[in-house]
Coordinates of all heavy atoms in Angstrom, one line a residue:
G17 N -14.0 31.3 0.2 CA -15.0 31.9 -0.7 C -15.8 30.8 -1.4 O -16.4 30.0 -0.9
G18 N -15.7 30.9 -2.8 CA -16.5 30.0 -3.6 C -16.0 28.6 -3.5 O -14.9 28.3 -3.0
F19 N -16.8 27.7 -3.9 CA -16.5 26.3 -3.9 C -17.1 25.5 -5.0 O -18.3 25.8 -5.3 CB -16.9 25.7 -2.5 CG -16.7 24.2 -2.4 CD1 -15.4 23.7 -2.2 CD2 -17.8 23.3 -2.5 CE1 -15.2 22.3 -2.2 CE2 -17.6 21.9 -2.4 CZ -16.3 21.4 -2.3
S20 N -16.4 24.6 -5.6 CA -17.0 23.8 -6.7 C -16.4 22.4 -6.5 O -15.4 22.2 -5.9 CB -16.7 24.3 -8.1 OG -15.3 24.5 -8.3
F21 N -17.2 21.4 -6.9 CA -16.6 20.1 -6.8 C -17.2 19.2 -8.0 O -18.2 19.5 -8.5 CB -17.0 19.4 -5.5 CG -18.4 19.1 -5.3 CD1 -18.9 17.8 -5.6 CD2 -19.4 20.0 -4.9 CE1 -20.2 17.4 -5.5 CE2 -20.7 19.7 -4.8 CZ -21.1 18.4 -5.1
I22 N -16.5 18.2 -8.2 CA -16.9 17.1 -9.2 C -16.8 15.8 -8.4 O -15.8 15.5 -7.8 CB -16.0 17.0 -10.4 CG1 -16.1 18.4 -11.2 CG2 -16.5 15.9 -11.3 CD1 -15.2 18.4 -12.4
P23 N -17.9 15.1 -8.2 CA -17.9 13.9 -7.5 C -16.9 12.9 -8.0 O -16.7 12.8 -9.3 CB -19.4 13.3 -7.6 CG -20.2 14.5 -8.0 CD -19.3 15.4 -8.8
H24 N -16.3 12.1 -7.2 CA -15.4 11.1 -7.6 C -16.0 10.1 -8.6 O -15.3 9.6 -9.5 CB -14.8 10.3 -6.4 CG -13.6 9.5 -6.7 ND1 -13.6 8.1 -6.7 CD2 -12.3 9.9 -7.0 CE1 -12.4 7.7 -7.0 NE2 -11.6 8.7 -7.2
R25 N -17.3 9.9 -8.5 CA -18.0 9.0 -9.4 C -17.9 9.5 -10.8 O -18.1 8.7 -11.8 CB -19.5 9.0 -9.0 CG -20.0 7.9 -8.2 CD -21.5 7.8 -7.9 NE -22.4 8.7 -8.4 CZ -23.2 8.6 -9.5 NH1 -23.1 7.5 -10.2 NH2 -24.0 9.5 -9.9
F26 N -17.7 10.8 -11.0 CA -17.5 11.3 -12.4 C -16.4 10.6 -13.1 O -16.5 10.3 -14.3 CB -17.2 12.8 -12.3 CG -17.2 13.5 -13.6 CD1 -18.4 13.9 -14.2 CD2 -16.1 13.8 -14.3 CE1 -18.5 14.5 -15.4 CE2 -16.1 14.5 -15.5 CZ -17.3 14.8 -16.1
L27 N -15.4 10.2 -12.4 CA -14.2 9.5 -13.0 C -14.5 8.0 -12.9 O -14.4 7.3 -13.9 CB -12.9 9.8 -12.2 CG -11.7 9.1 -12.6 CD1 -11.3 9.3 -14.0 CD2 -10.6 9.4 -11.6
T28 N -14.8 7.5 -11.7 CA -14.9 6.0 -11.5 C -16.1 5.4 -12.2 O -16.0 4.2 -12.6 CB -14.9 5.7 -10.0 OG1 -16.1 6.3 -9.4 CG2 -13.7 6.1 -9.3
D29 N -17.2 6.1 -12.4 CA -18.3 5.5 -13.1 C -18.4 5.7 -14.6 O -19.4 5.4 -15.2 CB -19.6 6.0 -12.4 CG -19.9 5.4 -11.0 OD1 -19.0 4.6 -10.6 OD2 -20.9 5.7 -10.4
G30 N -17.4 6.4 -15.2 CA -17.3 6.5 -16.6 C -17.9 7.8 -17.2 O -18.0 7.9 -18.4
F31 N -18.3 8.7 -16.4 CA -18.8 10.0 -17.0 C -17.8 10.8 -17.7 O -18.0 11.3 -18.8 CB -19.4 10.9 -15.9 CG -20.7 10.3 -15.2 CD1 -20.6 9.5 -14.1 CD2 -21.9 10.6 -15.8 CE1 -21.8 9.0 -13.5 CE2 -23.1 10.0 -15.2 CZ -23.0 9.2 -14.1
L32 N -16.6 10.8 -17.2 CA -15.5 11.5 -17.9 C -15.2 10.9 -19.2 O -15.1 11.6 -20.3 CB -14.2 11.5 -17.0 CG -12.9 12.0 -17.7 CD1 -13.1 13.5 -17.8 CD2 -11.7 11.7 -16.8
K33 N -15.2 9.6 -19.3 CA -14.9 8.9 -20.5 C -16.0 9.1 -21.6 O -15.7 9.0 -22.8 CB -14.7 7.4 -20.2 CG -14.3 6.5 -21.3 CD -14.1 5.1 -20.8 CE -13.9 4.1 -21.9 NZ -13.8 2.8 -21.3
A34 N -17.2 9.4 -21.1 CA -18.3 9.5 -22.0 C -18.4 10.9 -22.7 O -19.3 11.1 -23.6 CB -19.6 9.2 -21.3
L35 N -17.6 11.8 -22.3 CA -17.7 13.2 -22.8 C -16.7 13.5 -23.9 O -15.5 13.0 -23.8 CB -17.5 14.2 -21.7 CG -18.5 14.2 -20.5 CD1 -18.1 15.3 -19.5 CD2 -19.9 14.3 -21.0
S36 N -17.1 14.3 -24.8 CA -16.1 14.8 -25.8 C -15.3 15.9 -25.2 O -15.6 16.3 -24.1 CB -16.9 15.4 -27.0 OG -17.5 16.6 -26.6
Q37 N -14.2 16.3 -25.8 CA -13.3 17.3 -25.3 C -14.1 18.6 -25.0 O -14.0 19.2 -23.9 CB -12.2 17.6 -26.2 CG -11.2 18.6 -25.7 CD -10.0 18.8 -26.6 OE1 -10.0 18.3 -27.7 NE2 -9.0 19.6 -26.1
Q38 N -14.9 19.0 -25.9 CA -15.7 20.3 -25.8 C -16.7 20.1 -24.7 O -17.0 21.1 -23.9 CB -16.3 20.7 -27.1 CG -15.4 21.5 -28.0 CD -14.3 20.6 -28.6 OE1 -14.5 19.4 -28.8 NE2 -13.1 21.2 -28.8
E39 N -17.4 19.0 -24.6 CA -18.3 18.7 -23.5 C -17.6 18.8 -22.1 O -18.1 19.4 -21.2 CB -19.0 17.4 -23.6 CG -20.0 17.3 -24.8 CD -20.5 15.9 -25.1 OE1 -19.8 14.9 -24.7 OE2 -21.5 15.8 -25.8
L40 N -16.4 18.2 -22.0 CA -15.7 18.3 -20.8 C -15.3 19.7 -20.4 O -15.4 20.1 -19.3 CB -14.5 17.4 -20.8 CG -13.6 17.3 -19.6 CD1 -14.4 16.9 -18.4 CD2 -12.4 16.4 -19.8
L41 N -14.8 20.4 -21.4 CA -14.4 21.8 -21.2 C -15.6 22.6 -20.6 O -15.5 23.4 -19.7 CB -13.9 22.5 -22.4 CG -12.5 22.2 -22.8 CD1 -12.2 22.7 -24.2 CD2 -11.5 22.8 -21.9

Side-chain angles (χ1 to χ4, degrees):
F19 175 74
S20 58
F21 73 95
I22 297 176
H24 193 250
R25 264 185 359 102
F26 188 80
L27 175 64
T28 60
D29 288 2
F31 291 92
L32 175 67
K33 187 176 173 183
L35 299 181
S36 71
Q37 182 177 9
Q38 278 68 32
E39 288 169 344
L40 180 57
L41 282 170

